[in-house]
Amino acid sequence: MASPLRFDGRVVLVTGAGGVNDLGGDFRGVGKGSSAADKVVEEIRSKGGKAVANYDSVEAGEKVVKTALDAFGRIDVVVNNAGILRDGSFARISDEDWDIIHRVHLRGSFQVTRAAWDHMKKQKFGRIIMTTSASGIYGNFGQANYSAAKLGLLGLSNTIALEGKKSNIHCNTIAPTAGSRMTQTVMPEDLLETLKPDYVAPLVLWLCHESCEENGGLFEVGGGWIGKLRWERSLGAIVRQKNQPMTPEGVKANWKKICDFENATKPQRIQESIGSIIGVLSKIDSDGGVSTNHMSHAASTAPSGFARAIGYKFPPFSSAYTELETIMYALGVGASVKEPKDMKFIYEGSSDFSCLPTFGVIVAQKPLVGGGLGGVPELPISLEKVLHGEQYLELYKPLPRSGNLKCEAVIADVLDKGSGLVILMDVYSYFEKELICYNQFSLFLVGSGGIGGKRTSDKVKEAVAVPNRPPDAVLTDVTSLNQAALYRLSGDWNPLHIDPNFSSFAGFDKPILHGLCTFGFSARHVLQKFADNDASRFKAIKVRFSKPVYPGQTIKTEMWKEGNRIHFQTKIHETGDIVISNAYVDLVPASGISAKTSSAHEELQSTLVFEEIGRRLGDIGREVVKKVDAVFEWHITKGGNTAAKWTIDLKNGSGKVYQGPAVGSADTTFTLSDEDFMEVVLGKLDPQKAFFSGRLKARGNILLSQKLQMILKDYAKL
């Protein structure tokens, strides 16, 4: 048996159905009494729990929540369960029956949840349950009022899930089939017994537990069965051409295709929905129209499910580590007490103790080594056929010696190389809300190509050939027979690197070294030879994996210096085989980061714009603050690196613009290049198109950007 889920110290508010809050009326909402709620309170107390009853209507949400706060001092969970019925065919529903259903179900859930919201935000924890119905999801004869209110609850829940996420407030929706005072008049007694609430409550308990990460889910439940629901959308059809009218005849001609759910997508976010529409507009603009021929349309827009995996976002994840993990990693990639300058990476007591820059791949690898790739809905692949083809890592500042990084991963693109597919997986890692490193994993799917997809992408971080001359420097390291066994302790548990039987099955004579272990050896060589082991000088690395290394072999790194870029390739000394090719490390100049940053700021066109906005706020700042009430942070990039940060504070005082990250926290953070920023300001680049094409990245409350855009147009006249 698994250990029981505990709710010690948690305060839970349940509305309706004889819960802690119940008016006690009949299924139509008529009458009032205390017995229903009192009975449940008595039962809870008899079993050693604490409970109080409330007899207010859920429309008085603040009173209901106040009862919990007065009794227990906090509110952790809200289960919105109160409801009534006023059934009747659509033509016979009175205004009163329509209004009361919406007041109790939809408005009541809103009122109770809103009253608890700020308390949950302050304590950085909350779990909310909305109760919808199969009638709301599918419709049901004679329940138009009830169905409308119940589906409204789903929309409310979806939005609350998005807005509460950053405060650790999760909201999920259940559609139960269970016996209650509402259903006792329409269900036979034996069916009521088999569909008793006891078979619904365990799902609610799990969704409300602090360890449950589910958020924004919709579940049908009843009789001991639970199923999760999701939306599905047909591939659809483009029924107009550039500069041509859209006609009903065109819709009719494409109706079969519009309603064809073969190769259907499963959108989960509004960005996916709007993004596809923006993509259609771009296609019409660029192609001058799209053929309505079914085969040509399929070939051009979605050759297979793989193409529809583009843009898939993995569930966000955290990577926490201490000095122990960074030291273990350093030892895993060959750092040694034999080299005095390595002590800064393997001894936490060193005055200049540092985290090796390439540890950045470890914090980002969870979707790859944790099996997350196999969970991509449109990417049904065999993980044993996945090879790590290339790797790119970029640091925006040195990694902290210990920390908890929040990571976001996305399938950036899928390429068809004929003999296989290449998946580009981008991972963004944040430390204390600041982007600290970016990874691009290039994964090769053997035997999955030849589907007619594109072969190139502007999202690829390209490998670069080494110079055609003798290397400027060469360093070697002998790997230990235990090297793979040691490196795998950093999180890559693939048995290919430890189990002889498994590696033999994969076609190798014996277990092979992790490619990213060889990657770490080589990067350490470059840092040692050209940066005096100064981790703060590391900027980026790109490699292409060519052949495997066996533990015990000698790794030789050949290096060429060209400005601040160190080209390199890695060989096996004993055989001469190239195992890493077309690789480079970019270093920050030895003159220092601060001087470079200052110089970069002077070259940015955006600097003039931010300064001008600041000047113009002097006259109308208070007026703007009243309309916007938000703080915006801008990360301006140059050559792919963050060159400047600006904050536009339209929340405090009379507003102000200043250079640097937001004091406190920003409501919305934008990242885009200096060039794209100027195009947006000059009206040459539409911000929405820039967002959906990936040229503009935004975090936080994205809807606030609409207010910012309005303010810039109305006041700044830029």
Side-chain angles (χ1 to χ4, degrees):
M1 288 286 292
S3 57
L5 297 177
R6 305 283 304 181
F7 291 84
D8 300 89
R10 296 296 186 195
V11 176
V12 182
L13 190 160
V14 184
T15 69
V20 173
N21 159 258
D22 200 312
L23 283 170
D26 66 13
F27 72 94
R28 289 176 54 85
V30 176
K32 185 174 182 179
S34 63
S35 61
D38 290 341
K39 181 180 179 181
V40 175
V41 168
E42 182 181 344
E43 183 179 355
I44 293 172
R45 289 175 176 173
S46 68
K47 294 184 178 181
K50 298 178 180 179
V52 294
N54 175 276
Y55 314 112
D56 293 299
S57 166
V58 287
E59 293 183 73
E62 290 189 2
K63 292 182 179 179
V64 177
V65 172
K66 186 176 184 299
T67 299
L69 294 173
D70 289 346
F72 304 111
R74 61 183 292 129
I75 179 90
D76 297 289
V77 178
V78 170
V79 180
N80 290 296
N81 186 65
I84 60 172
L85 290 176
R86 290 289 181 92
D87 291 351
S89 63
F90 178 72
R92 295 177 179 273
I93 295 177
S94 66
D95 288 351
E96 178 188 355
D97 286 349
W98 177 272
D99 290 341
I100 193 172
I101 288 294
H102 282 73
R103 290 204 314 270
V104 173
H105 289 271
L106 188 53
R107 181 177 171 80
S109 296
F110 161 72
Q111 293 284 8
V112 173
T113 303
R114 184 175 65 174
W117 188 256
D118 285 343
H119 301 284
M120 290 179 171
K121 285 184 68 176
K122 288 178 183 178
Q123 67 198 22
K124 293 293 184 182
F125 178 84
R127 296 292 185 266
I128 301 166
I129 300 295
M130 298 292 180
T131 305
T132 186
S133 165
S135 297
I137 299 171
Y138 307 109
N140 192 31
F141 188 91
Q143 291 192 314
N145 51 357
Y146 181 75
S147 299
K150 283 302 189 182
L151 192 58
L153 281 167
L154 177 59
L156 175 62
S157 177
N158 289 341
T159 297
I160 287 176
L162 293 172
E163 295 186 8
K165 182 179 178 182
K166 65 181 179 181
S167 299
N168 192 27
I169 301 174
H170 296 175
C171 187
N172 291 283
T173 306
I174 63 168
T177 300
S180 68
R181 295 204 305 279
M182 283 206 308
T183 57
Q184 65 186 5
T185 61
V186 295
M187 287 185 179
E189 188 173 340
D190 57 343
L191 184 57
L192 283 171
E193 178 62 25
T194 58
L195 294 176
K196 56 186 178 180
D198 306 52
Y199 301 141
V200 174
L203 169 62
V204 175
L205 287 167
W206 164 237
L207 291 175
C208 293
H209 195 263
E210 60 188 22
S211 66
C212 181
E213 294 297 325
E214 186 68 38
N215 189 27
L218 170 62
F219 301 87
E220 285 189 280
V221 54
W225 172 89
I226 303 170
K228 186 173 184 179
L229 281 76
R230 64 185 180 190
W231 293 103
E232 187 176 58
R233 182 175 62 188
S234 71
L235 187 60
I238 301 174
V239 297
R240 77 173 179 92
Q241 295 184 325
K242 187 176 182 180
N243 300 324
Q244 296 294 321
M246 181 175 172
T247 67
E249 291 79 13
V251 175
K252 177 184 177 182
N254 286 275
W255 193 246
K256 184 176 181 181
K257 189 190 302 181
I258 292 169
C259 300
D260 183 3
F261 277 86
E262 185 178 356
N263 298 320
T265 61
K266 300 172 181 65
Q268 295 179 308
R269 302 169 183 84
I270 191 171
Q271 288 87 350
E272 296 173 53
S273 172
I274 299 174
S276 64
I277 303 296
I278 298 296
V280 167
L281 296 177
S282 299
K283 190 165 188 63
I284 291 174
D285 287 342
S286 60
D287 294 353
V290 180
S291 168
T292 56
N293 177 272
H294 180 77
M295 294 305 294
S296 64
H297 177 69
S300 64
T301 60
S304 74
F306 294 113
R308 293 191 304 280
I310 298 171
Y312 172 82
K313 294 181 180 179
F314 295 82
F317 61 94
S318 299
S319 289
Y321 64 91
T322 65
E323 290 89 347
L324 173 64
E325 283 76 25
T326 65
I327 291 171
M328 194 178 303
Y329 172 78
L331 293 171
V333 296
S336 170
V337 294
K338 293 186 295 183
E339 173 53 59
K341 291 185 177 180
D342 280 355
M343 291 298 290
K344 66 187 299 182
F345 303 124
I346 58 177
Y347 174 45
E348 74 283 2
S350 296
S351 59
D352 57 348
F353 180 80
S354 303
C355 180
L356 271 173
T358 47
F359 184 75
V361 300
I362 301 299
V363 301
Q365 68 183 1
K366 185 175 181 179
L368 187 61
V369 302
L373 194 64
V376 180
E378 302 294 346
L379 210 60
I381 60 173
S382 300
L383 294 181
E384 64 270 16
K385 294 184 178 181
V386 177
L387 300 178
H388 196 167
E390 296 182 1
Q391 181 69 33
Y392 178 81
L393 165 67
E394 183 171 354
L395 297 188
Y396 299 102
K397 62 187 299 184
L399 294 166
R401 59 190 291 162
S402 63
N404 187 4
L405 273 58
K406 307 298 182 182
C407 303
E408 300 171 356
V410 62
I411 302 296
D413 217 338
V414 179
L415 309 179
D416 187 357
K417 296 296 185 179
S419 59
L421 291 176
V422 173
I423 300 173
L424 302 180
M425 183 176 73
D426 288 350
V427 183
Y428 301 86
S429 301
Y430 300 85
F431 180 64
E432 297 179 346
K433 298 184 179 180
E434 183 178 5
L435 180 63
I436 192 169
C437 70
Y438 159 75
N439 279 271
Q440 184 175 89
F441 296 81
S442 298
L443 311 172
F444 189 76
L445 274 59
V446 180
S448 299
I451 61 173
K454 60 183 180 181
R455 296 183 61 85
T456 60
S457 172
D458 58 2
K459 297 179 182 177
V460 174
K461 298 295 183 181
E462 296 289 354
V464 180
V466 300
N468 186 22
R469 57 182 172 84
D472 299 320
V474 178
L475 287 180
T476 61
D477 257 319
V478 179
T479 62
S480 163
L481 291 174
N482 293 318
Q483 203 72 55
L486 179 58
Y487 182 84
R488 69 192 300 267
L489 299 180
S490 289
D492 188 344
W493 302 96
N494 191 333
L496 177 67
H497 307 292
I498 192 71
D499 187 343
N501 293 326
F502 193 94
S503 59
S504 176
F505 178 78
F508 298 101
D509 296 335
K510 51 188 175 182
I512 63 174
L513 194 62
H514 305 70
L516 285 177
C517 180
T518 308
F519 164 94
F521 266 87
S522 298
R524 193 172 50 78
H525 286 166
V526 173
L527 203 64
Q528 177 182 333
K529 189 66 181 179
F530 292 99
D532 197 30
N533 269 5
D534 184 355
S536 68
R537 290 194 56 201
F538 183 96
K539 180 181 177 184
I541 181 172
K542 171 70 181 186
V543 307
R544 176 177 295 165
F545 300 108
S546 304
K547 285 190 176 182
V549 176
Y550 291 100
Q553 290 183 318
T554 302
I555 291 176
K556 180 170 70 173
T557 305
E558 299 176 340
M559 296 164 275
W560 293 260
K561 187 178 188 303
E562 291 191 350
N564 295 314
R565 173 164 288 185
I566 312 301
H567 298 270
F568 72 92
Q569 66 182 13
T570 308
K571 295 181 178 179
I572 298 174
H573 179 71
E574 291 82 358
T575 64
D577 289 339
I578 297 175
V579 294
I580 288 181
S581 63
N582 294 27
Y584 65 83
V585 168
D586 284 337
L587 297 173
V588 174
S591 56
I593 300 174
S594 59
K596 178 184 177 183
T597 303
S598 175
S599 174
H601 287 177
E602 295 170 2
E603 299 172 359
L604 299 176
Q605 299 178 70
S606 55
T607 300
L608 300 175
V609 177
F610 285 111
E611 291 174 348
E612 180 63 17
I613 294 173
R615 280 192 291 271
R616 299 188 186 190
L617 273 179
D619 298 326
I620 43 88
R622 292 192 181 278
E623 180 184 352
V624 175
V625 167
K626 288 180 181 179
K627 290 190 174 184
V628 179
D629 189 31
V631 176
F632 303 95
E633 185 175 310
W634 297 80
H635 294 185
I636 304 298
T637 66
K638 192 79 172 179
N641 301 315
T642 300
K645 293 182 181 179
W646 286 88
T647 298
I648 301 179
D649 183 347
L650 301 178
K651 176 181 283 188
N652 302 297
S654 58
K656 62 178 177 178
V657 177
Y658 55 88
Q659 192 169 315
V663 177
S665 62
D667 295 290
T668 311
T669 300
F670 302 102
T671 302
L672 76 169
S673 70
D674 186 56
E675 296 82 2
D676 286 343
F677 178 86
M678 293 306 298
E679 287 201 9
V680 169
V681 168
L682 295 171
K684 297 180 180 179
L685 176 62
D686 181 82
Q688 289 184 336
K689 289 187 177 180
F691 174 72
F692 288 111
S693 65
R695 292 169 68 178
L696 183 154
K697 297 180 175 62
R699 292 186 288 116
N701 189 340
I702 299 175
L703 291 178
L704 286 174
S705 62
Q706 297 175 356
K707 289 187 177 182
L708 177 65
Q709 189 175 359
M710 174 192 71
I711 292 300
L712 290 178
K713 286 182 177 179
D714 291 350
Y715 294 96
K717 304 299 183 187
L718 296 171

